Amino acid sequence: MTAQPHDEQPHANDYIAPAPRISVQAFCASVATATTARAAAEDRRLAKAHLTVHMGGIAAAVDTYHKAPTPNVIVLETEPDKDFLAGLDDLAGVCDPGTRVVVLGNASDVAPYRELVRRGVNDYVIGPVQVLDIVRSICSLFSASEAVSVGRLIAVAGAKGGVGASTVAHNVAWTIARDIGLDSVVVDLDLAFGTAGLDYNQDPTLGIANAVFSPERPDTAYMERLLSKCGDHLSLLAAPATLDQVYDFGADAFDAIFDTMRMTTSCIVLDVPHQWTAWTKRVLVGADDILIVAEPDLANMRNAKNMMNLLKASRPNDRPPLYCLNQVGMPKRPEIEVKDFAKTIESQPIATIPFDCRLFGEAANNGQMIAEVSARHRTTKTFLQIAQRLTGRPDLAEARESFLSPILKKLQGRRDDGRRAAG
């Protein structure tokens, strides 16, 4: 249990795991906090939680639970000049075992923090609270101690068909696994025409189709059997890439699959096909981070702008989607300048990947990643930079160097002192 200051703009490493299916009731003392709590109820990470907001503070909570069972979580706002500890004692008399309590306080609270802990308060957040404070507090009650969603979902989608979004997704996932060292899974969601199997030189007989068409909710053991191993830290949930059936899905078709995978996998990279359906929209809105891949032309610029605007509006408490420009500098093709593209999108691309038909063609035909074809190529470094930006983590080599540098400097200093003494 920790006291938390209110938050600013979300960052890549400010990861909040989604809450499971729980009931939450908030009892607010101020209209401002009630408004914030209602906004939190709309956050994607509380999509499975049922959050209701009431006025009246702790007195209203005690009165309510004299007549009704308590939910999984109670959120209480303190009130100035009122004995909050006495209210907690009254609440304890009507609170069911296992109910967790979050207190939204302020700097003028007189109740000692240790007294709140002694009375079983699970989290204390110093106000004024923002939406992310409430979301984080509720979600952390479960992700910190129970087997619930912990893995990060990264969705990669093209602003237009044929822009190389799948190639970017596969290379970034491979880099996250090899260079950053996170256990990762690539999920090829283009069931009819997916290329992940070809890019990783795999021909699995099982994959995403088995999971999505399974009559039972997939568990972790079942999902493990469907994965193809592509490296020490990388696995693939491949698409069948066959046309013997049509692949029409409801909006929530992949929810159970992602929930199960998040329990055991640090990073899940979703290769999202270029189509606009209920389920692709849900995948993008529900991801923890989004990378849009575009080429520098007018249609891509329009589509990327539309996607960015919709996703920003649908995810007001997340950092904005990121985008990169691919196949930049194709000979004889008129292109929109990067600065003009960025001006329309109202943000800079996190990377520009140059057109190189020989390099990418060789990798695709050999079932290899760009780094396997040319480890020193600048595009290899670009994929590492994208991976670091999406995960918020340095690569293992940099981390090891950073960890050892103070020791090495000390040893070097001793050597220098020894040489001076000898001289």
Side-chain angles (χ1 to χ4, degrees):
M1 182 166 106
T2 56
Q4 303 170 3
H6 67 248
D7 210 34
E8 300 291 338
Q9 178 71 26
H11 300 286
N13 52 3
D14 185 22
Y15 174 59
I16 304 173
R21 296 189 186 279
I22 54 172
S23 57
V24 185
Q25 293 183 356
F27 291 85
C28 303
S30 66
V31 173
T33 301
T35 301
T36 302
R38 291 189 182 96
E42 300 299 319
D43 187 89
R44 64 178 179 83
R45 286 154 288 214
L46 295 180
K48 294 179 182 175
H50 180 63
L51 171 59
T52 56
V53 181
H54 313 272
M55 299 301 297
I58 195 167
V62 173
D63 183 61
T64 297
Y65 301 132
H66 271 299
K67 313 160 194 173
T70 52
N72 300 110
V73 181
I74 302 173
V75 180
L76 303 168
E77 183 182 14
T78 62
E79 300 176 71
D81 305 322
K82 289 197 176 182
D83 190 349
F84 190 74
L85 293 180
L88 282 177
D89 292 336
D90 292 339
L91 181 65
V94 296
C95 195
D96 298 332
T99 294
R100 308 180 192 198
V101 178
V102 174
V103 173
L104 308 179
N106 58 74
S108 63
D109 286 341
V110 296
Y113 181 71
R114 64 179 179 276
E115 290 298 323
L116 295 177
V117 176
R118 195 168 68 83
R119 284 165 170 80
V121 170
N122 298 92
D123 200 7
Y124 177 73
V125 185
I126 301 172
V129 293
Q130 297 185 349
V131 171
L132 273 183
D133 295 321
I134 296 176
V135 172
R136 182 185 296 106
S137 183
I138 293 171
C139 292
S140 64
L141 293 177
F142 298 89
S143 63
S145 61
E146 299 181 10
V148 296
S149 304
V150 294
R152 181 192 296 262
L153 282 180
I154 297 174
V156 182
K160 190 171 174 283
V163 298
S166 292
T167 300
V168 171
H170 305 161
N171 278 273
V172 168
W174 189 86
T175 303
I176 290 171
R178 190 194 70 161
D179 296 331
I180 299 180
L182 290 179
D183 288 330
S184 304
V185 171
V186 176
V187 183
D188 192 342
L189 293 173
D190 190 351
L191 274 75
F193 302 106
T195 59
L198 297 174
D199 285 353
Y200 291 118
N201 198 24
Q202 299 281 330
D203 188 20
T205 57
L206 302 175
I208 184 68
N210 301 87
V212 75
F213 290 123
S214 173
E216 306 293 333
R217 181 182 175 89
D219 58 20
T220 53
Y222 180 65
M223 293 305 302
E224 285 291 330
R225 291 198 298 271
L226 301 182
L227 296 176
S228 303
K229 197 75 173 171
C230 299
D232 290 341
H233 295 286
L234 182 65
S235 297
L236 167 65
L237 192 59
T242 59
L243 305 180
D244 53 357
Q245 61 181 314
V246 294
Y247 302 102
D248 294 329
F249 304 114
D252 59 354
F254 295 93
D255 288 5
I257 297 171
F258 298 157
D259 290 346
T260 301
M261 296 183 68
R262 292 175 88 142
M263 292 181 185
T264 57
T265 307
S266 299
C267 183
I268 302 116
V269 178
L270 307 177
D271 180 5
V272 184
H274 180 70
Q275 52 184 266
W276 197 244
T277 63
W279 72 265
T280 53
K281 178 182 177 183
R282 186 179 179 92
V283 166
L284 291 171
V285 171
D288 298 301
D289 283 291
I290 303 164
L291 177 66
I292 297 171
V293 181
E295 290 184 3
D297 63 29
L298 185 60
N300 275 274
M301 186 170 69
R302 179 203 64 186
N303 293 354
K305 175 69 171 176
N306 290 342
M307 293 173 72
M308 296 279 280
N309 288 346
L310 182 139
L311 292 169
K312 284 179 185 177
S314 301
R315 301 154 46 86
N317 308 313
D318 291 86
R319 69 168 174 169
L322 305 173
Y323 78 98
C324 69
L325 291 176
N326 193 27
Q327 303 188 52
V328 175
M330 183 181 295
K332 300 183 180 180
R333 180 180 69 174
E335 295 182 348
I336 296 175
E337 293 287 339
V338 174
K339 63 179 181 179
D340 296 327
F341 201 103
K343 183 177 180 180
T344 298
I345 301 296
E346 298 179 336
S347 66
Q348 291 292 326
I350 64 168
T352 57
I353 303 171
F355 176 77
D356 191 330
C357 61
R358 181 182 296 275
L359 175 66
F360 281 86
E362 182 179 348
N365 289 336
N366 293 341
Q368 292 179 300
M369 297 294 101
I370 296 300
E372 294 177 294
V373 176
S374 180
R376 297 181 180 274
H377 197 279
R378 60 173 174 167
T379 301
T380 298
K381 297 178 181 178
T382 299
F383 284 134
L384 176 58
Q385 292 166 358
I386 295 173
Q388 291 170 333
R389 184 72 179 272
L390 286 170
T391 60
R393 301 192 185 195
D395 68 282
L396 287 177
E398 286 185 359
R400 282 194 293 267
E401 184 178 342
S402 175
F403 175 76
L404 292 174
S405 58
I407 300 172
L408 295 174
K409 286 180 180 178
K410 182 178 288 189
L411 291 173
Q412 184 62 44
R414 289 177 180 174
R415 290 194 195 98
D416 294 342
D417 291 342
R419 291 194 188 98
R420 283 194 292 270

